[in-house]
Amino acid sequence: MWYVITDGPLKILKSNTVVAVTEGASQMVHKHRSEWTGEDKKKVNLDNVAKNILHKTLDKNTFSKIKMCYTAKEICEKLIQIYDGNEQAKENKLSAMQKFENLKMKAGETLNEFDECFSSLVNELAALGKEYGNREIAVKVMRALPRD
């Protein structure tokens, strides 16, 4: 079944007997559904089985991000993009996480200005796939505020 995820849905083909055979290899064409055997039907259904397995393993939040994907391969590629991302996304996420860890309220900065900066950073991280719980956010805000 893994090849359905890596290569996409299987295509049911047959030899094209109408076209002349060249160099010993016959040209393949799609087999009409009325010609499918029981084995062909099982092969075609493998993509549905793979999609079903992937759907059952995802939480509601992740499912909402992949629900528009048509094939198991598209789902897998989207999940890789979401959780791994490309190199630029990884760098952006790391940079934003470092900003988050090092964030401190500056001298002379108002609470509204700090809140705006903090919220923007939390939203940027969420867009990059890194989300913090309410407790983590509250602890970070408390540590970022000045002690005096």
Side-chain angles (χ1 to χ4, degrees), residues 90-135:
K90 288 179 189 178
E91 289 176 25
N92 291 345
K93 188 174 182 178
L94 181 59
S95 173
M97 287 175 70
Q98 288 173 339
K99 284 181 197 174
F100 181 81
E101 294 303 321
N102 297 327
L103 185 67
K104 297 280 185 201
M105 188 172 174
K106 299 174 184 97
E109 185 176 30
T110 67
L111 198 53
N112 283 341
E113 291 169 334
F114 173 76
D115 180 54
E116 214 173 279
C117 179
F118 185 80
S119 296
S120 173
L121 192 52
V122 169
N123 290 337
E124 181 183 346
L125 284 165
L128 293 169
K130 177 65 176 164
E131 296 188 29
Y132 293 96
N134 289 339
R135 179 171 165 67

Side-chain angles (χ1 to χ4, degrees), residues 7-128:
D7 300 336
L10 295 174
K11 294 172 178 64
I12 307 301
L13 304 173
K14 68 176 181 176
S15 294
N16 187 356
T17 55
V18 176
V19 177
V21 177
T22 60
E23 297 180 21
S26 62
Q27 185 178 1
M28 302 300 282
V29 294
H30 287 279
K31 194 187 270 189
H32 191 271
R33 283 187 180 185
S34 62
E35 300 175 294
W36 287 359
T37 65
E39 190 65 28
D40 292 338
K41 291 174 185 176
K42 285 180 185 177
K43 287 179 183 178
V44 168
N45 196 43
L46 280 177
D47 188 61
N48 292 329
V49 172
K51 286 191 307 187
N52 188 35
I53 291 169
L54 289 168
H55 287 166
K56 286 181 178 181
T57 61
L58 302 174
D59 59 44
K60 289 180 183 181
N61 186 34
T62 306
F63 177 77
S64 68
K65 295 175 184 176
I66 60 95
K67 67 182 176 186
M68 297 305 290
C69 295
Y70 185 70
T71 65
K73 181 179 181 180
E74 288 174 8
I75 293 170
C76 188
E77 288 170 350
K78 183 72 172 180
L79 290 172
I80 290 169
Q81 180 186 5
I82 291 169
Y83 290 107
D84 245 359
N86 58 25
E87 288 304 313
Q88 184 65 40
K90 288 179 189 178
E91 289 176 25
N92 291 345
K93 188 174 182 178
L94 181 59
S95 173
M97 287 175 70
Q98 288 173 339
K99 284 181 197 174
F100 181 81
E101 294 303 321
N102 297 327
L103 185 67
K104 297 280 185 201
M105 188 172 174
K106 299 174 184 97
E109 185 176 30
T110 67
L111 198 53
N112 283 341
E113 291 169 334
F114 173 76
D115 180 54
E116 214 173 279
C117 179
F118 185 80
S119 296
S120 173
L121 192 52
V122 169
N123 290 337
E124 181 183 346
L125 284 165
L128 293 169

